[in-house]
Amino acid sequence: MPAPLTTPAAATVFTMVLTQGPVSRVEIARRTGLSSAAVTKAARPFIEAGYLEELEATDRPGPGAGRPASPLAIKPDREFFAGVKITDDELIGVVTDLRAQVLVGAHRPLTTSSPEGVVATLADLVAELLAADPAYRQRCHALGLAVSGDVDKAHGMVRYSPFLNWRQVPLAKLAAAATGLRVTVENDVKSLTVAEQWFGEGIGASSFALVTVGVGIGCGLVVNDRIVAGSHGVAGEIGHIPVGGEAPECHCGGRGCVEAIAGTAPIVTAVREALGDAELTIDAAIDAAHAGDVAAREVFARAGHAIGLAMAAMANLIGPERIIVTGDVQGLAAYDLFEEQISRSFASQAFGAAADCRIFLRPRPFEQWARGAASVAIQTFFTLQER
């Protein structure tokens, strides 16, 4: 059943209750500038459709101001959403409620990276997730997919995903046909940024950045309460800021990119060369650095320097209130090896008050990236301009 969303006022009211509620009509009017009558009119269809409910009155607007205010609150089990994070070797899926709380999760290994093979496995995974509770199948109509790379969200197209070796894949169309759900496809870092903006560390910050460290180096941006998507769907790609001169070459075709220095694969390559071990894994590289190997630690310090410079460049341009640093398991396992150099390089390159931007480390397992995909599905479901 489509959400009862017909006007900008309806989108504004529902989004505020979803992300900041329970909240009274009086408070909604104060924060949004809408009249009390407009708030009531916007909320009524959501209440009638079961998305919102009125709680018992808990406070009075003020002496002589009339009856107590009755806060509006989300009914989280009114609608469920599926989200899947697609990696090069695995699918991680979740079902969430309206507040993006994860209710059930599952993993499926990928034996092929072909779009057809991935979509077939995806359909099986989604069927398994929705079978966990009859209510999921009845009240889940939307699926969000998070993919690394250049994604055209408006058309559901993966234009380029280096880790899957995909180009111009109409993923939303393929996944919708396979699952029967409405499908939204978004870049994985932007998906995680949406989850932080609506349901996490970004609540209350009109401008913030999310930086991810791991296989790739990504960045999601929120400026003036809106995700920065870019006119071509590409924005915040700090992994491809050139900080290393003419070397090394990056998979994007550029040279000296942050990702070509600080991504997992180039770190492994550099530590292998430094230690003379062609079979070294990323875990072994991290262990060697933690054990005090000077050559290995220098590789991680160089990576931290590159990340810090890129974060400073982003802060100088955007001026975020805060930067949330997260990543995959291996990226965060190595974060203490980056941290000091990131902070030092950021502070040395950030201009003026940009250097005062607070940096937070927030580990996020892959299930949270799948939650990010579900969050994009929630946002799309209840955001007028996306419909």
Side-chain angles (χ1 to χ4, degrees):
M1 172 182 174
L5 193 63
T6 56
T7 67
T12 297
V13 169
F14 186 83
T15 301
M16 178 166 288
V17 179
L18 177 65
T19 60
Q20 302 176 41
V23 59
S24 70
R25 288 180 174 85
V26 172
E27 184 63 15
I28 294 172
R30 186 187 69 80
R31 295 186 196 178
T32 64
L34 294 170
S35 68
S36 295
V39 172
T40 296
K41 181 179 179 180
R44 185 180 298 118
F46 289 103
I47 295 172
E48 293 173 350
Y51 290 97
L52 296 180
E53 63 180 338
E54 280 190 300
L55 303 181
E56 292 186 8
T58 56
D59 58 76
R60 293 181 180 274
R67 65 186 181 87
S70 298
L72 293 173
I74 291 293
K75 296 183 73 172
D77 61 352
R78 172 60 181 81
E79 191 83 22
F80 300 104
F81 295 83
V84 177
K85 157 72 171 171
I86 302 175
T87 75
D88 60 341
D89 61 0
E90 184 181 34
L91 301 180
I92 303 95
V94 299
V95 172
T96 77
D97 64 15
L98 263 172
R99 290 199 185 106
Q101 296 300 306
V102 174
L103 304 173
V104 63
H107 293 231
R108 283 289 180 94
L110 288 174
T111 58
T112 175
S113 62
S114 73
E116 296 77 13
V118 170
V119 169
T121 304
L122 170 69
D124 289 342
L125 173 61
V126 171
E128 175 189 335
L129 290 166
L130 297 185
D133 189 313
Y136 299 163
R137 172 54 69 184
Q138 295 167 7
R139 300 199 294 278
C140 179
H141 304 96
L143 166 66
L145 301 178
V147 186
S148 174
D150 180 0
V151 175
D152 180 352
K153 180 187 173 190
H155 297 94
M157 180 76 69
V158 179
R159 289 186 290 220
Y160 172 52
S161 180
F163 306 114
L164 289 163
N165 196 28
W166 285 0
R167 291 185 182 274
Q168 302 302 319
V169 175
L171 184 59
K173 180 179 179 180
L174 296 173
T179 64
L181 301 173
R182 292 193 295 274
V183 177
T184 303
V185 182
E186 180 60 287
N187 168 270
D188 55 353
V189 177
K190 287 189 175 70
S191 297
L192 196 58
T193 304
V194 169
E196 295 295 340
Q197 180 192 22
W198 278 38
F199 307 108
E201 296 288 341
I203 292 176
S206 63
S207 298
F208 72 91
L210 177 90
V211 174
T212 59
V213 178
V215 173
I217 309 299
C219 180
L221 298 172
V222 171
V223 176
N224 295 330
D225 298 310
R226 297 183 66 87
I227 296 280
V228 178
S231 59
H232 302 290
V234 178
E237 292 288 348
I238 68 169
H240 299 286
I241 293 176
V243 297
E246 289 299 307
E249 185 174 0
C250 182
H251 64 78
C252 73
R255 290 185 173 275
C257 295
V258 175
E259 195 164 290
I261 298 169
T264 298
I267 285 176
V268 170
T269 298
V271 177
R272 284 175 175 175
E273 293 175 354
L275 302 186
D277 183 353
E279 303 299 321
L280 195 79
T281 65
I282 182 60
D283 291 333
I286 293 170
D287 289 343
H290 279 148
D293 186 281
V294 174
R297 293 187 70 86
E298 286 180 353
V299 171
F300 284 98
R302 184 186 181 214
H305 176 63
I307 296 169
L309 291 180
M311 285 171 51
M314 177 269 296
N316 290 342
L317 286 170
I318 305 300
E321 296 175 34
R322 64 191 70 160
I323 300 174
I324 304 162
V325 181
T326 187
D328 58 32
V329 174
Q330 291 171 332
L332 290 175
Y335 188 75
D336 65 305
L337 300 169
F338 299 135
E339 187 171 16
E340 181 179 352
Q341 191 60 57
I342 287 176
S343 297
R344 184 182 301 125
S345 298
F346 176 83
S348 68
Q349 198 68 27
F351 175 75
D356 297 330
C357 175
R358 296 185 65 189
I359 300 174
F360 300 87
L361 173 64
R362 293 293 184 266
R364 293 289 185 263
F366 268 137
E367 284 78 9
Q368 292 300 304
W369 292 70
R371 175 179 179 257
S375 298
V376 173
I378 294 170
Q379 185 187 59
T380 301
F381 200 66
F382 291 108
T383 304
L384 192 65
Q385 61 266 28
E386 301 286 356
R387 298 169 66 80

